[in-house]
């Protein structure tokens, strides 16, 4: 669903009605111009400075849900490859970069799959294949691409121009 369609819905519905339509989480990020050049299918190294650049273009919203063809029922795959549940088209993101999993207690974790450029949750690097808890509203960096994990309530506020995080 496009940002314009989501914004139109947010303008028509109450926050609770909007949230009822979207019970899943989302990834929010800014699509940036590729500073390295034409994207290729090979994972590219990024410097820490390049990874910290401010977003310079349009806000994108991606549903954090499983693809119907994914054989793993307990995890959501994130990566650059087309067969991932969540596809992030950025040369610093590995083909199969990480898994996001809902734990039995309802919390969420991210697991880096030994990606080339790593995964960072709110400034803390995810090491090895150890699950790291993630919370709604936190920033997660896959390679050099920073996304924010949001629920429908937070997305609603963002779409109406009211940041739920202040200046973060």
């Amino acid at each position: 669903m496009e940002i314009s369609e989501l914004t139109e819905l947010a303008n028509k519905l109450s926050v609770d009605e909007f949230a009822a339509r979207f019970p899943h989480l989302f990834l929010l990020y800014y699509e940036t111009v590729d500073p390295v050049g034409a994207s290729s299918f090979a994972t590219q190294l990024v410097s820490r400075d390049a990874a910290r650049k401010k977003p310079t273009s349009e806000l994108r919203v991606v549903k954090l849900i499983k693809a119907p063809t994914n054989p793993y029922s307990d995890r959501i795959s994130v990566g650059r490859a087309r067969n991932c549940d969540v596809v992030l088209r950025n040369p610093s993101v590995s083909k199969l970069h990480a898994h996001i999993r809902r734990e039995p207690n309802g919390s969420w974790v991210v697991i880096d799959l030994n990606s080339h450029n790593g995964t960072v949750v709110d400034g803390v690097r995810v090491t090895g294949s150890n699950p790291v808890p993630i919370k709604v509203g936190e920033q997660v960096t896959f390679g050099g691409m920073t996304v924010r994990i949001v629920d429908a309530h937070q997305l609603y506020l963002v779409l109406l121009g009211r940041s739920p995080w202040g200046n973060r």
Side-chain angles (χ1 to χ4, degrees), residues 16-64:
D16 291 332
E17 291 169 327
F18 187 84
R21 287 198 183 195
F22 303 106
H24 49 77
L25 297 177
F26 298 87
L27 300 182
L28 293 183
Y29 64 93
Y30 285 87
E31 190 169 60
T32 57
V33 176
D34 182 1
V36 181
S39 294
S40 68
F41 205 63
T43 303
Q44 298 177 17
L45 287 173
V46 293
S47 69
R48 287 183 187 211
D49 290 337
R52 290 185 184 136
K53 285 184 180 174
K54 297 266 186 215
T56 58
S57 63
E58 291 186 32
L59 179 67
R60 299 287 185 215
V61 178
V62 177
K63 295 177 184 177
L64 188 57

Side-chain angles (χ1 to χ4, degrees), residues 67-88:
T69 57
N70 188 316
Y72 302 109
S73 63
D74 65 334
R75 60 195 121 173
I76 298 169
S77 60
V78 178
R80 199 175 67 248
R82 285 187 206 128
N83 62 341
C84 288
D85 297 311
V86 175
V87 178
L88 299 176

Side-chain angles (χ1 to χ4, degrees), residues 147-162:
V147 302
R148 190 175 294 269
I149 309 289
V150 300
D151 61 14
H153 289 92
Q154 291 176 336
L155 177 59
Y156 181 89
L157 293 174
V158 169
L159 293 171
L160 296 181
R162 299 179 280 178

